Amino acid sequence: MLKIITPIIITLQLFTAVYGNELCWPKADNTSKPWARWWWMGNAVDKEGIEHQLNQLADGGIGGVEICPIYGVKGYESRSLIYLSPKWLEMYTLAINTARQKGMDLDLTCGTGWPFGGGSIDKDTASTGLIIEKVDTTAGESISRKLKGDIQYAIAISTEGEKVALSDCYYGNGFKWQAPSSGSWTVYIAAAKCPMQRVKRAAPGSEGYVVNPYSINALDHYLADFDKALARADIPKPRCFFHDSFEYYGADWSGDFFDQFKKLRGYDLRNYLEILAGDGDRKQAAAICYDYRKTVSDLHIQWLKHWDKWCNLQGSLSRNQAHGAPANLLDLYGASDIPETEIFRKVEDKQIPMLKFASSAAHLNGGKLASAEAFTWLSEHFQSPLSKLKDATDFLLISGINHVLFHGIPYSPAEAKWPGWQFYASVNFSPLGGLWHDLPAYNAYVSRCQSVMQDGTPDEDILLYIPMADIWQKETDKLFMTFTVHNDWMAETSLFDTAEKLLKHGLAFDYISDDYLQKLIPDNGKYKINNKAYSVIIVPATHYMPLETLEQLNQLAAEGCRIVFEGELPSEMPGMMITERDKQIFSSLLSKISTCNTITINSKIDTLDIIAREKCVEYGIDFNRRKTDYGYCYFLANRSNEDFSGWLETGRCASSYILMDPLFESKMGIAKSRTIKDKSQVYLQLKSGGSIVVKTLNKTISGQPWHYTGKQINSTELTGSWQVDFINGGPTIPDSFTSEHAQLWTNRGDTHADNFSGTASYKLIFNLDNINKDKYILNLGKVNNSARIIVNGNYAGNIWSEPFVIEIGEYLIAGKNELEVQVTNLAANRIRYMDINKINWKYFYDINVVNIDYKPFDASNWAVQDSGLDGPVTLSTYSIFE
């Protein structure tokens, strides 16, 4: 029987008693644990299935779920529930109550599929697109047109520049006009195409059009069904309502846009249809495009704020993905209670500046959580190992994200045959998805990391100004401008260049927008917002700047706050409606700013010495830093290809340091530290791919030290008679085998083993002459894909990411020892077997299951993936130095 070692618990209790709770892992709660999107496929859910799956998720370390009803399952049509019907609400109530009884919580997508929309949306409330038709005419020519939308306005412009409104020449989508008998004219006709789009992946019975994302009246119309359904006192409210990323495709207009534009910008856009069509003076066109883009942004942010208020009135929070929207992303992320970004397919350093929009919004709002949808299409279906998840998780943590939400877990009834119900996109985190056996160990890692990254307050020094006016007043043939999570839009901006430099030089920053800038309060040379203090504002190279922004910067500088202009001062205001008086004020402010002693112009980031750097980035170690009651807390991730061992200077001074390994709950201790020339240093050993939590203390303590690894004394490959037995999995259990060396079970020419996905036990008996106080480190070599380690019947831990090493000295005895390595592979080989043998497991409506390139999924041509313990398995002894 597997024995759980009690000394670990005793050690933790003693450590807490001696050093205080703040020096141990914060208590895990459902917020620090990872969450998951929970797809209710066809809403074909029942009491037994809900309770069974929630029990599994709670036991596996999932902190909460977000219900997202989507398309159905073939053969289960009779079980589908109508969204928001009394029976659906009964199942929803059961789910949320069961989750909370299990210590979890629950969010609810505000609709089915995505984005918002459904059967209640009609032409008056649906998303709308702008159509501009241009017609060149000759003298006396008669033209007649039918457009694919209702005509909003039409204007004729002569070659001499005369403009004539043609308001009496159209009705509905029809247009008819005869040109004057002299001169040449160009006619511009603006029409609104509506509806533009249907809801993607809607649940059965909830199909319909997408709501207008710029109309509050349309939003209220859409939310009326929720008001009615949730009005009953016995219907519990979710923790959060959720709005997915902006996927209102083609929605670049609204039926009242002309009137809204005039109200917000102060002039009539109808007079500039030629600009919307891409004609006219380029400089004027850029100014009008700025005004159009700013208006679209304002309208959508107002819309989202209205939804946020609605969520709060329901007694819930709001969680929103701003990316993809045609809006100032920082302001849009900041319009919800929990801003949420996402990782889609790739994990690249160039994405970090994009991910920081969500975390910056959370920080500026004084919010605790910055969320991420993780990890959409990280790999092909059934091919994402836990080690790859760790790399992506660390990537999010260093970007300021501290509330990971898996994408995702399909609801699957107990009677569904393996691999259960499947969502069209990977990664499947469900108990049937192939990762579950060792996923609890990964979840525990995430929970420990997020618990410390939710503790205290964020500790960025810099506010990096977003030069949105430069981005919007850009001469481009594309009028409508969206900002996707892939950040292609950002790569060519000065903002991206400056963000990259700051990251490279170990300078912690949040973004600041024109609107948030107005909320800053000067305080003894610092910038304060929601009790968060910053030291400096950095303005990337920018040409345009709103007058009110320049005024605020001038006022802040006058109060002693530091401002750094990376390039020259801005020289123009954006937009069309600029008066001579505005120009005079703007010029006067530029003169004042240029002589202010707290402002630096034409500054180079690599020579910026007004704030402390984190030197770890020089060694390929990325960081996130939080301020705590006891000092500071760092999350460090070595994302380089080199191990690090040596003294590391931290940007924050400390009297002492604590090191904590998030892979192993009990592995912690007081670090070696020193101070040289008023700079604090900690001694650190961090493997490539490794991560660690470093806590700084503002007092000196003594006690249990961190056990550093000294010189290697010896290393021995563990050979003999490895006994390999297959524990669980399928499609069939292969025969056991023995081997002198650890070897992959897919290297033996056994067809059953090649097709097998599950867990196998590798056991070996070996002898040790004696046991001393040195470190005994087990290195499994290469593992496909995760492993549980049992030494002499004692559970020693899970290792599921590179390097596959673990300390096992406390479990070893002199004489005969038994090592068991339970190795679990991915589900890929079993799926390959099923597709080769045409076993149907893809029986879903809508998109069904596709591959990573959105083509029909077929694993029959996959090669057999390496599975098992590849080794070499070595046991090494190292000296310990304090």
Side-chain angles (χ1 to χ4, degrees), residues 720-748:
S721 181
W722 283 94
Q723 175 65 37
V724 183
D725 300 300
F726 293 87
I727 301 174
N728 55 62
T732 59
I733 299 296
D735 294 334
S736 300
F737 67 92
T738 59
S739 176
E740 181 179 349
H741 301 273
Q743 67 163 302
L744 299 173
W745 71 65
T746 48
N747 273 2
R748 303 181 57 253

Side-chain angles (χ1 to χ4, degrees), residues 726 730-735 745 749-757 829 833:
F726 293 87
T732 59
I733 299 296
D735 294 334
W745 71 65
D750 181 340
T751 301
H752 291 306
D754 288 348
N755 296 334
F756 178 79
S757 292
N829 289 342
Y833 158 82

Side-chain angles (χ1 to χ4, degrees), residues 11 82 225 315 319 324 351 367 373 434 547 586 618 648 758 820 879:
T11 300
I82 299 300
D225 288 344
R319 208 179 86 242
Q351 285 185 295
E373 175 188 306
L547 177 59
F586 193 83
E618 298 176 6
L648 182 67
E820 180 180 5
S879 63

Side-chain angles (χ1 to χ4, degrees), residues 620-731:
I621 300 173
D622 294 313
F623 73 97
N624 190 6
R625 186 180 65 218
R626 308 259 313 174
K627 183 175 175 57
T628 64
D629 293 337
Y630 51 81
Y632 296 87
C633 183
Y634 290 80
F635 173 80
L636 302 181
N638 185 355
R639 301 180 63 247
S640 74
N641 295 322
E642 303 292 332
D643 296 343
F644 177 84
S645 182
W647 289 100
L648 182 67
E649 180 183 310
T650 56
R652 298 293 187 241
C653 293
S655 297
S656 54
Y657 293 85
I658 299 289
L659 298 182
M660 307 173 73
D661 186 345
L663 285 172
F664 304 101
E665 184 175 13
S666 63
K667 190 175 179 181
M668 60 184 68
I670 301 170
K672 292 167 61 70
S673 61
R674 68 186 185 187
T675 301
I676 297 178
K677 295 182 179 179
D678 297 326
K679 300 293 184 181
S680 299
Q681 297 182 351
V682 60
Y683 196 84
L684 186 66
Q685 295 174 328
L686 192 58
K687 295 279 190 183
S688 171
S691 54
I692 197 164
V693 170
V694 181
K695 292 188 174 183
T696 77
L697 279 67
N698 48 26
K699 63 181 179 180
T700 301
I701 62 173
S702 59
Q704 176 180 310
W706 176 265
H707 290 169
Y708 292 96
T709 300
K711 293 182 179 180
Q712 185 179 100
I713 298 171
N714 58 58
S715 181
T716 303
E717 182 179 358
L718 298 182
T719 58
S721 181
W722 283 94
Q723 175 65 37
V724 183
D725 300 300
F726 293 87
I727 301 174
N728 55 62

Side-chain angles (χ1 to χ4, degrees), residues 196-444:
M196 282 297 294
Q197 175 192 350
R198 296 182 68 84
V199 176
K200 294 177 65 177
R201 323 294 184 222
S206 299
E207 299 87 350
Y209 293 112
V210 166
V211 71
N212 184 341
Y214 312 116
S215 168
I216 289 175
N217 289 336
L219 179 60
D220 282 338
H221 174 83
Y222 173 70
L223 294 175
D225 288 344
F226 292 89
D227 290 327
K228 181 179 179 180
L230 300 173
R232 286 168 36 190
D234 62 332
I235 303 295
K237 304 303 189 293
R239 181 198 69 153
C240 289
F241 287 99
F242 173 65
H243 178 253
D244 214 325
S245 57
F246 189 99
E247 296 185 41
Y248 299 85
Y249 297 121
D252 57 5
W253 197 252
S254 182
D256 62 348
F257 192 86
F258 280 129
D259 294 334
Q260 292 284 0
F261 184 94
K262 189 172 182 179
K263 178 181 176 182
L264 291 170
R265 304 280 85 87
Y267 66 99
D268 198 334
L269 189 59
R270 295 177 181 89
N271 297 325
Y272 298 96
L273 290 192
E274 76 277 14
I275 300 297
L276 300 184
D279 293 340
D281 176 76
R282 298 303 293 172
K283 187 172 181 61
Q284 183 189 53
I288 292 174
C289 285
Y290 167 87
D291 287 338
Y292 164 82
R293 293 161 184 161
K294 179 75 166 64
T295 301
V296 170
S297 176
D298 290 346
L299 292 177
H300 185 57
I301 290 172
Q302 290 174 14
W303 185 90
L304 202 283
K305 286 182 176 179
H306 188 76
W307 174 73
D308 169 75
K309 183 178 179 180
W310 176 87
C311 296
N312 295 164
L313 289 173
Q314 294 290 332
S316 301
L317 301 173
S318 64
R319 208 179 86 242
N320 176 58
Q321 295 182 355
H323 44 275
N328 186 313
L329 290 186
L330 184 69
D331 295 339
L332 189 57
Y333 277 121
S336 60
D337 294 309
I338 302 179
E340 180 167 295
T341 186
E342 71 175 286
I343 287 183
F344 188 94
R345 193 163 181 171
K346 296 180 179 179
V347 176
E348 298 175 323
D349 284 351
K350 71 176 185 179
Q351 285 185 295
I352 294 178
M354 182 65 195
L355 297 175
K356 287 183 70 66
F357 277 97
S359 57
S360 295
H363 298 169
L364 293 171
N365 285 348
K368 177 182 177 181
L369 302 177
S371 182
E373 175 188 306
F375 305 90
T376 312
W377 283 125
L378 189 63
S379 300
E380 183 58 91
H381 288 284
F382 311 108
Q383 293 190 20
S384 295
L386 294 175
S387 57
K388 192 166 187 177
L389 296 181
K390 180 182 184 298
D391 179 50
T393 302
D394 293 350
F395 183 74
L396 287 169
L397 289 164
I398 62 175
S399 302
I401 302 304
N402 61 3
H403 187 39
V404 167
L405 192 140
F406 297 152
H407 184 278
I409 295 177
Y411 170 90
S412 193
E415 73 271 16
K417 294 181 180 180
W418 193 93
W421 291 3
Q422 298 289 321
F423 188 63
Y424 77 91
S426 68
V427 178
N428 187 337
F429 289 88
S430 80
L432 297 176
L435 293 171
W436 191 256
H437 187 267
D438 291 318
L439 187 67
Y442 163 80
N443 289 342

